[in-house]
Amino acid sequence: MATNIKAKKKKGSYDNKLIIWLSVGLGALVAVIVAIALIITLSSNFVGRVNGKKIYTYEYNHFLREAVSEEYNANFDDFKPENYDDMTDEEQNKVFDNFFTDERKAKCEENALEKAREYKAECIIAKQKGFGLTSSERAAVKSNIDYYISLYMNYGYSQESATYLMTQGAMTLSEYKDFMIQQSMIEKYKNSLKETYDVSDAELKTEYDKEPNDYRTVNGRVFQFKLPTLPAQPKNSEGTVITKEMAEKEDAPAADKLAYEKYEKDLEDYKKQIENYIVLAGQMKEAYDKGADAKFTLYDYDMLTLTPKKAKNEAGEETEEDAVLEKDATFELICTSQSSFTLNGSAASTTKGVVNVNNNTSSGVEKINKYMLRAQWNSSRDGFVFDPEETEEESEAGTSSETADAKKAAPSAIEIIEVRDDDDNLTALYLARVEDIKDFDSDSDGNEDGLNAVKRTIKTTVLEDKAVADLKAQVEAGGSKYDLKSTKRKALDKIMKEVMG
């Protein structure tokens, strides 16, 4: 038995040695494979270098997508054929492919490489200036990104979709976090530069005058009528639309004739109601244009006749009194209680019909935006005049006996705004007026800096422009040190193919 145990021990020793030799050999093989994979990865994970620092493929991917988007937005509308919207997806894709010629692709690549070069140079400069992020700042950037990912997921997006929304498909979530850490480092340095700049009132005014509607805000109020729905043309039992010609045929089915007769009656009633809504709009305008405190009584109308319905008693029986929706209502009250207008999902009962409009903030209705943005203060800043360039008739300005004080300015005259479809059917009807304008010359809002909100916004823009120009000058001052070198043609082509689809 001892011999047998000894023999087994010898066999065991042999097996263990064999396993060890195999493990060592296999480990060496794995190490070689990993080393080769690492070499391939490290040699293909960048598209070029700036001052010895890699421009990673995901960084370039981001800037290329940005360049492609800019090229598309700037030129595609002039390129696409008139019938583009009626094309099939396949036909539209072909137009898109034809738009991005080799020349356009080369232009996008050039722009993307330049942006990536400047970005990498700015990262180097910010780091050298001592503005690298601390570990807590880096963690905060990552945590903030995770927060937005979770926010998207709370709205029903999958993790994959949420990540795409953040990264726009240019990189993984981990890469995006690294990218944003680098961007945050640049912003940290720029913020330090901004603290060294002085901005004069003249500089603010120069920036404002480039495009005032980017900064000033026109405040107004909107009332929307609840219009009837355009009757839909009837269809027969086979689902075919019944035309007038079809309904008038002698052998037309009786059901089709009745359906079309009903449609014609409904259409006639609809048109009459629309006419009366326009008349009612005129009546309300006439009443409210009498002054800032003017009032109007809105009845519950039978819109076919524009006559008030009769009020009902507790038993539901009609009385001799007219049914009133709002009695002696100011424009503010009627915009709050009787309007169908909504703004960003909020009903008029919440917003009171108030809208604030500039180039970056919309009322949700393009015609209202255009009307509001035509408004200017009069010379006394106690009422409003309207730029006549975009309309044949200039709206009259409100007037006031008060001194020049924006807070006491009279509102403008009411504007009736009609929105119609391509068939000239009225789809929406509004009453709108301007009540205030916050612009460059508005009073300070009481903050320590002595600026109003408009000037403060402009100052933010001016400081950003100065910091961007300063950092760009530092990159240029570096000369050849920040040139793009060691570009990888295969990597560039691969990313272009990925982005263009």
Side-chain angles (χ1 to χ4, degrees), residues 224 341-342 362-370 417 419 428 430:
Q224 181 178 4
F341 184 69
T342 58
S362 173
S363 67
V365 181
E366 186 60 30
K367 293 190 75 170
I368 293 177
N369 293 343
K370 289 182 178 181
I417 296 176
V419 178
Y430 305 91

Side-chain angles (χ1 to χ4, degrees), residues 32-147:
V32 171
I33 293 172
V34 169
I36 293 172
L38 188 61
I39 291 171
I40 293 173
T41 299
L42 293 177
S43 62
S44 61
N45 71 345
F46 69 101
V47 297
R49 296 179 186 270
V50 174
N51 196 23
K53 300 294 184 181
K54 293 178 181 177
I55 297 176
Y56 292 103
T57 52
Y58 67 83
E59 294 171 328
Y60 172 72
N61 196 323
H62 166 81
F63 291 111
L64 180 61
R65 288 169 188 268
E66 195 174 77
V68 167
S69 178
E70 289 173 357
E71 181 68 17
Y72 176 88
N73 290 330
N75 301 293
F76 190 71
D77 280 345
D78 295 331
F79 177 87
K80 67 183 183 183
E82 291 184 3
N83 65 331
Y84 179 80
D85 292 336
D86 298 325
M87 289 181 171
T88 64
D89 289 344
E90 184 178 350
E91 291 171 333
Q92 288 185 351
N93 288 338
K94 187 174 181 180
V95 173
F96 179 86
D97 292 339
N98 291 338
F99 171 75
F100 277 104
T101 60
D102 289 342
E103 183 180 357
R104 285 191 191 276
K105 290 179 182 178
K107 177 184 175 182
C108 291
E109 179 183 288
E110 181 181 355
N111 290 341
L113 283 172
E114 177 58 18
K115 286 184 178 181
R117 181 190 74 84
E118 290 183 351
Y119 155 78
K120 188 59 65 172
E122 289 173 359
C123 287
I124 294 170
I125 292 170
K127 188 72 176 290
Q128 290 175 343
K129 295 289 185 179
F131 289 91
L133 267 58
T134 65
S135 58
S136 61
E137 288 172 332
R138 293 167 68 92
V141 171
K142 293 180 179 180
S143 177
N144 193 44
I145 292 170
D146 287 336
Y147 168 76

Side-chain angles (χ1 to χ4, degrees), residues 216 218 371-388 394-399 410-413 434 437:
R216 76 182 188 122
V218 183
Y371 157 69
M372 301 282 285
L373 291 179
R374 287 177 43 235
Q376 306 286 341
W377 283 113
N378 62 17
S379 58
S380 301
R381 291 180 71 84
D382 61 1
F384 308 98
V385 293
F386 287 79
D387 181 356
E394 182 175 357
S395 298
E396 297 180 0
T399 58
S412 73
V434 172
I437 300 176

Side-chain angles (χ1 to χ4, degrees), residues 222-282:
V222 175
F223 177 90
Q224 181 178 4
F225 294 90
K226 187 175 182 179
L227 300 180
T229 303
L230 177 69
Q233 204 159 341
K235 296 181 180 179
N236 59 24
S237 58
E238 298 177 352
T240 303
V241 172
I242 304 172
T243 64
K244 184 178 180 64
E245 292 75 16
M246 291 168 60
E248 289 179 344
K249 289 182 178 179
E250 291 185 7
D251 59 346
D256 290 3
K257 289 184 177 182
L258 287 173
Y260 194 81
E261 286 175 4
K262 182 180 183 304
Y263 165 71
E264 284 191 315
K265 177 63 170 59
D266 290 345
L267 185 61
E268 182 182 346
D269 289 348
Y270 165 81
K271 290 179 178 179
K272 185 60 180 177
Q273 290 181 74
I274 291 297
E275 290 174 4
N276 285 332
Y277 271 105
I278 294 173
V279 171
L280 177 58

Side-chain angles (χ1 to χ4, degrees), residues 19-32:
I19 291 171
I20 290 171
W21 292 337
L22 288 173
S23 298
V24 170
L26 184 59
L29 179 61
V30 169
V32 171

